Coordinates of all heavy atoms in Angstrom, one line a residue:
M21 N -53.6 72.0 -57.0 CA -54.2 73.4 -56.8 C -53.2 74.3 -56.3 O -52.4 74.0 -55.4 CB -55.4 73.3 -55.9 CG -56.3 74.5 -55.8 SD -57.6 74.6 -54.7 CE -58.4 73.1 -54.7
A22 N -53.0 75.4 -56.9 CA -52.1 76.5 -56.5 C -52.5 77.2 -55.3 O -53.7 77.4 -55.1 CB -51.8 77.5 -57.7
K23 N -51.5 77.6 -54.4 CA -51.9 78.3 -53.3 C -52.3 79.8 -53.6 O -51.7 80.3 -54.6 CB -50.7 78.4 -52.3 CG -50.3 77.2 -51.6 CD -49.2 77.5 -50.6 CE -48.8 76.2 -49.8 NZ -47.8 76.5 -48.9
S24 N -53.2 80.2 -52.9 CA -53.6 81.6 -53.2 C -52.5 82.6 -52.6 O -51.7 82.2 -51.8 CB -54.8 82.0 -52.5 OG -54.7 82.1 -51.1
R25 N -52.4 83.7 -53.2 CA -51.4 84.7 -52.8 C -51.6 85.1 -51.3 O -50.7 85.2 -50.5 CB -51.6 85.9 -53.7 CG -50.7 87.0 -53.3 CD -49.3 86.8 -53.9 NE -48.5 88.0 -53.6 CZ -47.3 88.1 -53.0 NH1 -46.9 86.9 -52.6 NH2 -46.6 89.1 -52.7
R26 N -52.9 85.1 -50.9 CA -53.2 85.4 -49.5 C -52.7 84.4 -48.6 O -52.2 84.7 -47.5 CB -54.8 85.6 -49.4 CG -55.2 86.0 -48.0 CD -54.9 87.4 -47.6 NE -55.5 87.6 -46.3 CZ -54.8 88.3 -45.4 NH1 -53.7 88.8 -45.6 NH2 -55.4 88.4 -44.2
L27 N -52.9 83.1 -49.0 CA -52.4 82.1 -48.1 C -50.9 82.0 -48.0 O -50.4 81.9 -46.9 CB -52.9 80.7 -48.7 CG -52.5 79.5 -47.9 CD1 -53.0 79.5 -46.5 CD2 -53.1 78.2 -48.6
E28 N -50.2 82.3 -49.1 CA -48.8 82.4 -49.0 C -48.3 83.5 -48.1 O -47.3 83.3 -47.3 CB -48.2 82.6 -50.4 CG -48.3 81.4 -51.3 CD -47.8 81.7 -52.7 OE1 -47.4 82.8 -53.0 OE2 -47.8 80.7 -53.5
Q29 N -49.0 84.6 -48.2 CA -48.7 85.8 -47.3 C -48.9 85.4 -45.8 O -48.1 85.8 -44.9 CB -49.5 87.1 -47.7 CG -49.1 87.6 -48.9 CD -50.0 88.8 -49.4 OE1 -51.2 88.8 -49.0 NE2 -49.5 89.6 -50.3
L30 N -50.0 84.8 -45.5 CA -50.3 84.4 -44.2 C -49.3 83.4 -43.6 O -48.9 83.5 -42.5 CB -51.8 83.8 -44.1 CG -52.9 84.9 -44.3 CD1 -54.2 84.1 -44.3 CD2 -52.9 85.9 -43.1
E31 N -48.9 82.5 -44.5 CA -47.9 81.4 -44.0 C -46.5 82.1 -43.8 O -45.8 81.8 -42.9 CB -47.8 80.4 -45.0 CG -49.0 79.4 -45.0 CD -49.0 78.3 -46.0 OE1 -48.1 78.4 -47.0 OE2 -49.7 77.4 -46.0
Q32 N -46.1 83.1 -44.6 CA -44.9 83.7 -44.5 C -45.0 84.6 -43.1 O -44.1 84.6 -42.4 CB -44.7 84.7 -45.7 CG -43.4 85.4 -45.5 CD -43.1 86.3 -46.7 OE1 -44.0 86.7 -47.5 NE2 -41.9 86.7 -46.9
R33 N -46.1 85.2 -42.9 CA -46.3 86.1 -41.7 C -46.2 85.1 -40.4 O -45.6 85.5 -39.5 CB -47.6 86.8 -41.7 CG -48.0 87.6 -40.5 CD -47.2 88.8 -40.5 NE -47.7 89.7 -39.4 CZ -46.8 90.3 -38.6 NH1 -45.6 90.3 -38.8 NH2 -47.4 91.0 -37.6
R34 N -46.8 83.9 -40.6 CA -46.7 83.0 -39.4 C -45.3 82.6 -39.1 O -44.8 82.5 -38.0 CB -47.6 81.8 -39.7 CG -47.6 80.7 -38.6 CD -48.4 79.5 -38.8 NE -47.9 78.8 -40.0 CZ -48.6 77.9 -40.6 NH1 -49.8 77.5 -40.2 NH2 -48.2 77.3 -41.8
E35 N -44.5 82.3 -40.2 CA -43.1 81.9 -40.0 C -42.4 83.1 -39.4 O -41.5 82.8 -38.5 CB -42.4 81.6 -41.3 CG -43.0 80.3 -41.9 CD -42.5 79.9 -43.3 OE1 -41.5 80.7 -43.8 OE2 -43.0 79.1 -43.9
Q36 N -42.6 84.4 -39.7 CA -41.9 85.5 -39.2 C -42.3 85.6 -37.7 O -41.4 85.9 -36.9 CB -42.3 86.8 -39.9 CG -41.7 86.9 -41.3 CD -42.3 88.0 -42.1 OE1 -43.4 88.6 -41.8 NE2 -41.7 88.3 -43.2
L37 N -43.6 85.4 -37.4 CA -44.0 85.6 -36.0 C -43.4 84.4 -35.2 O -43.0 84.6 -34.0 CB -45.6 85.5 -35.9 CG -46.3 86.7 -36.3 CD1 -47.9 86.4 -36.4 CD2 -46.0 87.8 -35.3
N38 N -43.4 83.2 -35.7 CA -42.7 82.1 -34.9 C -41.3 82.3 -34.7 O -40.8 82.1 -33.6 CB -42.8 80.8 -35.8 CG -44.3 80.2 -35.7 OD1 -45.0 80.6 -34.8 ND2 -44.6 79.4 -36.6
A39 N -40.6 83.0 -35.6 CA -39.2 83.4 -35.4 C -39.1 84.4 -34.4 O -38.1 84.3 -33.5 CB -38.6 83.9 -36.7
R40 N -39.9 85.5 -34.3 CA -40.0 86.4 -33.3 C -40.3 85.9 -31.9 O -39.6 86.3 -31.0 CB -41.0 87.5 -33.6 CG -40.5 88.5 -34.8 CD -41.6 89.5 -35.1 NE -41.9 90.4 -34.0 CZ -42.9 91.2 -34.0 NH1 -43.8 91.3 -35.1 NH2 -43.2 91.9 -32.9
I41 N -41.2 85.0 -31.9 CA -41.6 84.3 -30.6 C -40.3 83.5 -30.1 O -40.0 83.7 -28.9 CB -42.8 83.3 -30.8 CG1 -44.0 84.2 -31.0 CG2 -42.9 82.4 -29.6 CD1 -45.2 83.4 -31.5
Q42 N -39.6 82.8 -30.9 CA -38.5 82.1 -30.5 C -37.4 83.0 -30.0 O -36.7 82.7 -29.0 CB -38.0 81.2 -31.6 CG -36.8 80.3 -31.2 CD -37.1 79.4 -30.0 OE1 -38.3 78.8 -29.9 NE2 -36.2 79.3 -29.1
R43 N -37.1 84.1 -30.7 CA -36.1 85.0 -30.3 C -36.5 85.6 -28.9 O -35.6 85.7 -28.0 CB -35.9 86.2 -31.3 CG -35.1 85.9 -32.4 CD -34.7 87.1 -33.3 NE -36.0 87.9 -33.8 CZ -36.6 87.7 -34.9 NH1 -36.2 86.7 -35.7 NH2 -37.6 88.5 -35.2
E44 N -37.7 85.9 -28.7 CA -38.2 86.5 -27.4 C -38.0 85.4 -26.3 O -37.6 85.7 -25.2 CB -39.6 86.9 -27.5 CG -40.1 87.8 -26.3 CD -39.3 89.1 -26.1 OE1 -38.7 89.6 -27.1 OE2 -39.1 89.5 -24.9
R45 N -38.4 84.1 -26.6 CA -38.2 83.1 -25.6 C -36.8 83.0 -25.2 O -36.4 82.8 -24.1 CB -38.8 81.8 -26.2 CG -40.2 81.5 -26.0 CD -40.6 80.1 -26.4 NE -42.0 80.0 -26.4 CZ -42.7 79.5 -27.4 NH1 -42.1 78.9 -28.4 NH2 -44.0 79.3 -27.3
S46 N -35.9 83.0 -26.2 CA -34.5 82.9 -25.9 C -33.9 84.1 -25.0 O -33.2 83.9 -24.2 CB -33.7 83.0 -27.3 OG -34.0 81.8 -28.0
K47 N -34.5 85.3 -25.3 CA -34.1 86.4 -24.5 C -34.6 86.2 -23.0 O -33.8 86.4 -22.1 CB -34.7 87.7 -25.0 CG -34.1 88.3 -26.2 CD -34.8 89.5 -26.6 CE -34.4 90.0 -27.9 NZ -35.2 91.3 -28.3
V48 N -35.9 85.7 -22.9 CA -36.4 85.6 -21.5 C -35.6 84.5 -20.8 O -35.2 84.5 -19.6 CB -37.9 85.2 -21.6 CG1 -38.4 84.6 -20.3 CG2 -38.7 86.4 -22.1
Q49 N -35.2 83.4 -21.5 CA -34.5 82.3 -20.9 C -33.1 82.8 -20.5 O -32.6 82.4 -19.4 CB -34.4 81.1 -21.8 CG -35.7 80.3 -22.0 CD -35.7 79.3 -23.1 OE1 -34.7 79.3 -23.9 NE2 -36.6 78.4 -23.0
A50 N -32.5 83.6 -21.3 CA -31.2 84.1 -21.0 C -31.2 85.0 -19.8 O -30.3 85.0 -18.9 CB -30.5 84.9 -22.2
E51 N -32.2 85.8 -19.7 CA -32.4 86.7 -18.5 C -32.6 85.9 -17.2 O -32.1 86.2 -16.2 CB -33.6 87.6 -18.8 CG -33.3 88.7 -19.8 CD -34.6 89.5 -20.1 OE1 -35.6 89.3 -19.4 OE2 -34.5 90.3 -21.1
E52 N -33.4 84.8 -17.3 CA -33.6 84.0 -16.2 C -32.4 83.3 -15.8 O -32.1 83.1 -14.6 CB -34.7 83.0 -16.6 CG -36.1 83.5 -16.7 CD -37.1 82.5 -17.2 OE1 -36.7 81.3 -17.5 OE2 -38.3 82.9 -17.2
R53 N -31.5 82.8 -16.7 CA -30.2 82.2 -16.4 C -29.3 83.2 -15.7 O -28.7 82.9 -14.7 CB -29.5 81.7 -17.6 CG -30.0 80.3 -18.0 CD -29.2 79.6 -19.1 NE -29.0 80.5 -20.3 CZ -29.7 80.6 -21.3 NH1 -30.8 79.8 -21.4 NH2 -29.4 81.4 -22.3
R54 N -29.2 84.4 -16.2 CA -28.4 85.4 -15.6 C -28.9 85.7 -14.2 O -28.2 85.9 -13.2 CB -28.4 86.7 -16.5 CG -27.5 86.7 -17.6 CD -27.4 88.1 -18.3 NE -28.5 88.6 -18.8 CZ -29.0 88.4 -20.0 NH1 -28.3 87.6 -20.9 NH2 -30.1 88.8 -20.5
A55 N -30.2 85.9 -14.0 CA -30.7 86.2 -12.7 C -30.5 85.0 -11.7 O -30.0 85.2 -10.6 CB -32.2 86.4 -12.8
D56 N -30.6 83.8 -12.2 CA -30.3 82.6 -11.3 C -28.8 82.6 -11.0 O -28.5 82.3 -9.8 CB -30.7 81.4 -12.1 CG -30.8 80.1 -11.2 OD1 -31.2 80.3 -10.1 OD2 -30.4 79.0 -11.7
N57 N -28.0 82.8 -12.0 CA -26.6 82.8 -11.6 C -26.2 83.9 -10.6 O -25.4 83.7 -9.8 CB -25.7 83.1 -12.9 CG -25.6 81.8 -13.7 OD1 -25.9 80.6 -13.3 ND2 -25.4 82.0 -15.0
R58 N -26.8 85.1 -10.8 CA -26.6 86.2 -9.8 C -27.0 85.8 -8.4 O -26.3 86.1 -7.4 CB -27.3 87.4 -10.4 CG -27.2 88.6 -9.5 CD -25.8 89.2 -9.8 NE -25.6 90.4 -8.9 CZ -24.5 90.7 -8.2 NH1 -23.5 90.0 -8.4 NH2 -24.5 91.8 -7.5
R59 N -28.2 85.1 -8.4 CA -28.7 84.7 -7.0 C -27.7 83.7 -6.4 O -27.4 83.8 -5.2 CB -30.1 84.0 -7.2 CG -31.2 85.0 -7.2 CD -32.5 84.3 -7.2 NE -32.9 83.5 -8.4 CZ -33.4 84.1 -9.4 NH1 -33.7 85.3 -9.5 NH2 -33.7 83.3 -10.5
M60 N -27.2 82.8 -7.2 CA -26.2 81.8 -6.6 C -25.0 82.4 -6.2 O -24.4 82.0 -5.2 CB -25.9 80.7 -7.7 CG -27.1 79.7 -8.0 SD -26.6 78.3 -9.0 CE -26.9 79.0 -10.6
I61 N -24.5 83.4 -6.9 CA -23.3 84.2 -6.5 C -23.5 84.9 -5.2 O -22.6 84.8 -4.3 CB -22.8 85.1 -7.6 CG1 -22.3 84.3 -8.8 CG2 -21.7 86.1 -7.1 CD1 -22.1 85.2 -10.1
L62 N -24.6 85.5 -5.1 CA -24.9 86.3 -3.9 C -25.1 85.4 -2.6 O -24.6 85.7 -1.6 CB -26.1 87.2 -4.1 CG -26.0 88.3 -5.1 CD1 -27.3 89.0 -5.4 CD2 -25.0 89.3 -4.5
I63 N -25.8 84.2 -2.9 CA -26.0 83.3 -1.8 C -24.6 82.7 -1.4 O -24.3 82.6 -0.2 CB -27.0 82.2 -2.2 CG1 -28.4 82.7 -2.3 CG2 -26.9 81.0 -1.2 CD1 -29.4 81.8 -2.9
G64 N -23.8 82.4 -2.3 CA -22.5 81.8 -2.1 C -21.6 82.8 -1.3 O -20.9 82.5 -0.4
R65 N -21.7 84.1 -1.8 CA -20.9 85.1 -1.1 C -21.3 85.2 0.4 O -20.5 85.3 1.3 CB -21.0 86.5 -1.8 CG -20.2 87.5 -1.2 CD -20.4 88.8 -1.9 NE -20.0 88.7 -3.3 CZ -20.5 89.4 -4.3 NH1 -21.3 90.3 -4.1 NH2 -20.1 89.2 -5.5
M66 N -22.6 85.2 0.6 CA -23.2 85.3 1.9 C -22.7 84.2 2.8 O -22.2 84.3 3.9 CB -24.7 85.4 1.9 CG -25.3 85.6 3.3 SD -27.1 85.2 3.3 CE -27.1 83.5 3.0
V67 N -22.8 82.9 2.3 CA -22.5 81.7 3.1 C -21.0 81.8 3.3 O -20.6 81.4 4.5 CB -22.9 80.5 2.3 CG1 -22.3 79.3 3.0 CG2 -24.4 80.4 2.3
M68 N -20.1 82.2 2.4 CA -18.7 82.2 2.6 C -18.4 83.2 3.7 O -17.5 82.9 4.6 CB -18.0 82.5 1.3 CG -18.0 81.3 0.3 SD -17.2 81.6 -1.3 CE -15.5 81.7 -0.7
R69 N -18.9 84.4 3.7 CA -18.7 85.4 4.7 C -19.1 84.8 6.1 O -18.4 85.1 7.0 CB -19.5 86.7 4.4 CG -18.7 87.4 3.3 CD -19.4 88.7 3.1 NE -18.7 89.5 2.0 CZ -19.2 90.5 1.3 NH1 -20.4 91.0 1.6 NH2 -18.5 91.0 0.3
E70 N -20.3 84.2 6.1 CA -20.7 83.6 7.4 C -19.7 82.6 7.9 O -19.3 82.5 9.1 CB -22.0 83.0 7.3 CG -23.2 84.0 7.2 CD -23.3 84.8 8.4 OE1 -23.2 84.3 9.6 OE2 -23.5 86.0 8.4
A71 N -19.2 81.7 7.0 CA -18.1 80.7 7.3 C -16.9 81.3 7.8 O -16.2 80.8 8.6 CB -18.0 79.8 6.1
E72 N -16.5 82.4 7.2 CA -15.3 83.1 7.6 C -15.4 83.7 9.0 O -14.4 83.8 9.8 CB -15.0 84.3 6.7 CG -14.5 83.9 5.3 CD -14.5 84.9 4.3 OE1 -14.8 86.1 4.6 OE2 -14.1 84.7 3.2
R73 N -16.6 84.1 9.4 CA -16.9 84.8 10.7 C -17.0 83.8 11.9 O -16.9 84.1 13.0 CB -17.9 85.8 10.6 CG -17.7 86.9 9.7 CD -18.8 87.8 9.6 NE -18.6 88.9 8.6 CZ -19.5 89.4 7.9 NH1 -20.7 89.0 7.9 NH2 -19.1 90.3 7.0
D74 N -17.6 82.6 11.5 CA -18.1 81.6 12.5 C -17.5 80.3 12.3 O -17.9 79.6 11.2 CB -19.7 81.7 12.5 CG -20.2 80.8 13.6 OD1 -19.9 80.9 14.8 OD2 -21.0 79.9 13.2
E75 N -16.8 79.8 13.2 CA -16.1 78.5 13.0 C -17.2 77.3 12.9 O -17.0 76.4 12.2 CB -15.2 78.3 14.1 CG -14.2 77.1 13.9 CD -13.2 77.3 12.9 OE1 -12.9 78.5 12.6 OE2 -12.8 76.3 12.2
D76 N -18.2 77.4 13.7 CA -19.3 76.4 13.7 C -19.9 76.4 12.3 O -20.2 75.3 11.8 CB -20.3 76.7 14.8 CG -21.3 75.5 14.9 OD1 -20.9 74.4 14.9 OD2 -22.6 75.7 15.0
T77 N -20.2 77.5 11.7 CA -20.9 77.6 10.4 C -19.8 77.0 9.5 O -20.3 76.3 8.5 CB -21.1 79.0 10.1 OG1 -22.1 79.5 11.0 CG2 -21.7 79.1 8.6
K78 N -18.6 77.3 9.6 CA -17.5 76.8 8.7 C -17.5 75.3 8.7 O -17.5 74.6 7.7 CB -16.2 77.4 9.0 CG -15.1 76.9 8.1 CD -13.8 77.6 8.5 CE -12.6 77.2 7.8 NZ -11.4 77.8 8.1
N79 N -17.6 74.7 9.9 CA -17.5 73.3 10.0 C -18.8 72.6 9.5 O -18.6 71.5 8.8 CB -17.3 72.9 11.4 CG -15.9 73.2 12.0 OD1 -15.0 73.4 11.3 ND2 -15.8 73.5 13.3
R80 N -19.9 73.2 9.7 CA -21.1 72.7 9.2 C -21.2 72.7 7.7 O -21.6 71.7 7.0 CB -22.3 73.4 9.8 CG -22.7 73.0 11.1 CD -24.1 73.5 11.6 NE -24.4 74.8 11.0 CZ -24.5 75.9 11.7 NH1 -24.4 75.8 13.0 NH2 -24.9 77.0 11.1
L81 N -20.7 73.8 7.1 CA -20.6 73.9 5.6 C -19.7 72.9 5.0 O -20.0 72.2 4.1 CB -20.2 75.3 5.3 CG -20.0 75.6 3.8 CD1 -21.3 75.4 3.0 CD2 -19.5 77.1 3.6
R82 N -18.6 72.8 5.6 CA -17.6 71.8 5.1 C -18.1 70.3 5.1 O -17.9 69.7 4.2 CB -16.3 71.9 6.0 CG -15.1 71.1 5.5 CD -13.9 71.3 6.3 NE -12.8 70.5 5.9 CZ -12.0 70.7 4.8 NH1 -12.2 71.7 4.1 NH2 -11.0 69.9 4.6
S83 N -18.7 70.0 6.3 CA -19.4 68.7 6.4 C -20.5 68.5 5.3 O -20.5 67.4 4.7 CB -20.0 68.5 7.8 OG -20.7 67.3 7.9
R84 N -21.3 69.4 5.1 CA -22.3 69.4 4.1 C -21.6 69.3 2.7 O -22.1 68.5 1.8 CB -23.3 70.5 4.2 CG -24.1 70.5 5.4 CD -25.1 71.6 5.5 NE -26.2 71.3 4.6 CZ -27.2 72.1 4.4 NH1 -27.3 73.2 5.0 NH2 -28.1 71.8 3.5
L85 N -20.6 70.0 2.4 CA -20.0 70.0 1.1 C -19.4 68.6 0.9 O -19.4 68.0 -0.2 CB -18.9 71.1 1.0 CG -19.4 72.5 0.8 CD1 -18.3 73.5 0.9 CD2 -20.0 72.6 -0.6
D86 N -18.8 68.1 2.0 CA -18.2 66.7 1.9 C -19.2 65.7 1.5 O -18.9 64.7 0.7 CB -17.5 66.4 3.3 CG -16.7 65.2 3.2 OD1 -16.0 64.9 2.1 OD2 -16.7 64.4 4.2
R87 N -20.4 65.8 2.0 CA -21.5 64.8 1.6 C -22.0 65.1 0.2 O -22.4 64.2 -0.5 CB -22.6 64.9 2.6 CG -22.3 64.3 4.0 CD -23.5 64.2 4.8 NE -24.3 65.4 5.1 CZ -24.1 66.3 6.0 NH1 -23.1 66.1 6.9 NH2 -24.8 67.4 6.1
Y88 N -22.1 66.3 -0.2 CA -22.7 66.8 -1.4 C -21.9 66.6 -2.6 O -22.2 66.2 -3.7 CB -23.2 68.3 -1.3 CG -23.8 68.8 -2.5 CD1 -25.1 68.4 -2.9 CD2 -23.1 69.7 -3.3 CE1 -25.7 68.9 -4.0 CE2 -23.7 70.2 -4.5 CZ -25.0 69.9 -4.8 OH -25.6 70.3 -5.9
L89 N -20.5 67.0 -2.6 CA -19.7 67.1 -3.7 C -19.2 65.7 -4.1 O -18.6 65.0 -3.2 CB -18.5 68.0 -3.5 CG -18.9 69.4 -3.3 CD1 -17.7 70.2 -2.9 CD2 -19.6 70.0 -4.5
D90 N -19.4 65.3 -5.3 CA -18.9 64.0 -5.8 C -17.6 64.1 -6.6 O -16.8 63.2 -6.6 CB -20.0 63.3 -6.6 CG -21.2 62.9 -5.8 OD1 -21.1 62.5 -4.6 OD2 -22.3 63.0 -6.3
R91 N -17.6 65.1 -7.4 CA -16.4 65.2 -8.4 C -15.2 65.6 -7.7 O -15.3 66.6 -6.9 CB -16.7 66.1 -9.6 CG -17.9 65.6 -10.4 CD -18.1 66.3 -11.7 NE -18.1 67.7 -11.5 CZ -18.6 68.6 -12.4 NH1 -19.2 68.2 -13.4 NH2 -18.6 69.9 -12.1
D92 N -14.1 65.0 -7.9 CA -12.8 65.3 -7.3 C -12.4 66.8 -7.5 O -11.9 67.4 -6.5 CB -11.7 64.4 -7.6 CG -11.8 63.0 -7.1 OD1 -12.8 62.8 -6.2 OD2 -11.2 62.1 -7.6
R93 N -12.5 67.2 -8.7 CA -12.1 68.6 -9.0 C -13.0 69.7 -8.3 O -12.5 70.7 -7.9 CB -12.2 68.9 -10.5 CG -13.5 68.9 -11.1 CD -13.4 69.1 -12.7 NE -14.5 69.9 -13.0 CZ -14.6 70.6 -14.1 NH1 -13.6 70.5 -14.9 NH2 -15.7 71.2 -14.4
D94 N -14.2 69.3 -8.0 CA -15.1 70.2 -7.2 C -14.7 70.1 -5.7 O -14.5 71.1 -5.0 CB -16.5 69.8 -7.2 CG -17.1 70.0 -8.7 OD1 -16.5 70.8 -9.4 OD2 -18.1 69.4 -8.9
R95 N -14.4 68.9 -5.2 CA -13.9 68.7 -3.9 C -12.6 69.4 -3.6 O -12.4 70.0 -2.6 CB -13.8 67.2 -3.6 CG -15.2 66.5 -3.7 CD -15.0 65.1 -3.4 NE -14.6 64.6 -2.1 CZ -15.3 64.7 -1.0 NH1 -16.5 65.0 -1.0 NH2 -14.7 64.4 0.2
E96 N -11.8 69.4 -4.6 CA -10.5 70.0 -4.5 C -10.5 71.6 -4.2 O -9.8 72.2 -3.5 CB -9.6 69.8 -5.7 CG -8.2 70.3 -5.6 CD -7.4 70.0 -6.9 OE1 -8.0 69.2 -7.8 OE2 -6.4 70.6 -7.0
L97 N -11.6 72.2 -4.8 CA -11.8 73.6 -4.6 C -12.0 74.0 -3.2 O -11.7 75.1 -2.7 CB -13.0 74.1 -5.4 CG -12.8 74.3 -6.9 CD1 -14.2 74.5 -7.5 CD2 -11.9 75.4 -7.2
F98 N -12.5 73.1 -2.3 CA -12.7 73.3 -0.9 C -11.8 72.6 0.0 O -12.1 72.4 1.2 CB -14.3 73.0 -0.7 CG -15.3 73.7 -1.4 CD1 -15.8 73.2 -2.6 CD2 -15.6 75.0 -0.9 CE1 -16.7 74.1 -3.4 CE2 -16.5 75.8 -1.7 CZ -17.1 75.3 -2.8
G99 N -10.7 72.1 -0.5 CA -9.8 71.4 0.2 C -10.2 70.0 0.8 O -9.7 69.6 1.8
L100 N -11.1 69.4 0.1 CA -11.6 68.1 0.5 C -10.9 67.0 -0.2 O -10.5 67.2 -1.3 CB -13.2 68.0 0.2 CG -14.1 69.0 0.9 CD1 -15.5 68.9 0.3 CD2 -14.1 68.8 2.4
A101 N -10.7 65.9 0.6 CA -10.0 64.8 -0.1 C -10.9 64.1 -1.2 O -12.2 64.2 -1.1 CB -9.7 63.8 1.0
P102 N -10.2 63.5 -2.1 CA -11.1 62.7 -3.2 C -11.9 61.7 -2.5 O -11.6 61.3 -1.4 CB -9.9 62.1 -4.1 CG -8.7 63.0 -3.8 CD -8.8 63.5 -2.4
R103 N -13.0 61.4 -3.2 CA -13.8 60.3 -2.7 C -13.1 59.0 -2.8 O -12.3 58.8 -3.7 CB -15.1 60.2 -3.4 CG -16.0 61.4 -3.3 CD -17.2 60.9 -2.5 NE -18.0 62.1 -2.4 CZ -19.0 62.1 -1.5 NH1 -19.4 61.1 -0.7 NH2 -19.8 63.2 -1.5
E104 N -13.3 58.2 -1.8 CA -12.6 56.9 -1.8 C -13.2 56.1 -2.9 O -14.3 56.1 -3.2 CB -13.0 56.2 -0.5 CG -12.0 55.1 -0.2 CD -12.1 54.6 1.3 OE1 -12.0 55.4 2.1 OE2 -12.2 53.4 1.4
G105 N -12.2 55.5 -3.7 CA -12.6 54.7 -4.9 C -12.9 55.5 -6.1 O -13.4 55.0 -7.1
S106 N -12.7 56.8 -6.0 CA -13.0 57.7 -7.1 C -12.0 57.5 -8.2 O -10.9 57.3 -8.0 CB -12.9 59.2 -6.6 OG -13.2 60.0 -7.7
Q107 N -12.6 57.6 -9.4 CA -11.8 57.4 -10.7 C -11.8 58.7 -11.5 O -11.4 58.7 -12.7 CB -12.3 56.2 -11.5 CG -12.2 54.9 -10.8 CD -12.7 53.8 -11.6 OE1 -13.4 54.1 -12.7 NE2 -12.7 52.7 -11.2
Q108 N -12.2 59.9 -10.9 CA -12.2 61.1 -11.6 C -11.0 61.9 -11.5 O -10.3 62.0 -10.5 CB -13.5 61.9 -11.1 CG -14.7 61.2 -11.3 CD -15.9 62.0 -10.7 OE1 -15.8 63.1 -10.3 NE2 -17.0 61.4 -10.7

């Protein structure tokens, strides 16, 4: 049985709407990523300034980074020694 012209038009319209929905979702996700990255930058800037002004904060931050960071290249950014037994 052949599809009706109306059914073909509706299916084509649905495909167009699905494409528009996907583009809009992508835009929203990109905006959320940008906002999240901006928040991380601002938080990082604030924490770094606090560490520059206060030795106790600096030491606590360094200690927490030492426990948190696993990859040697990340640890190197903060002047931390490679993890013992690390192969990275």
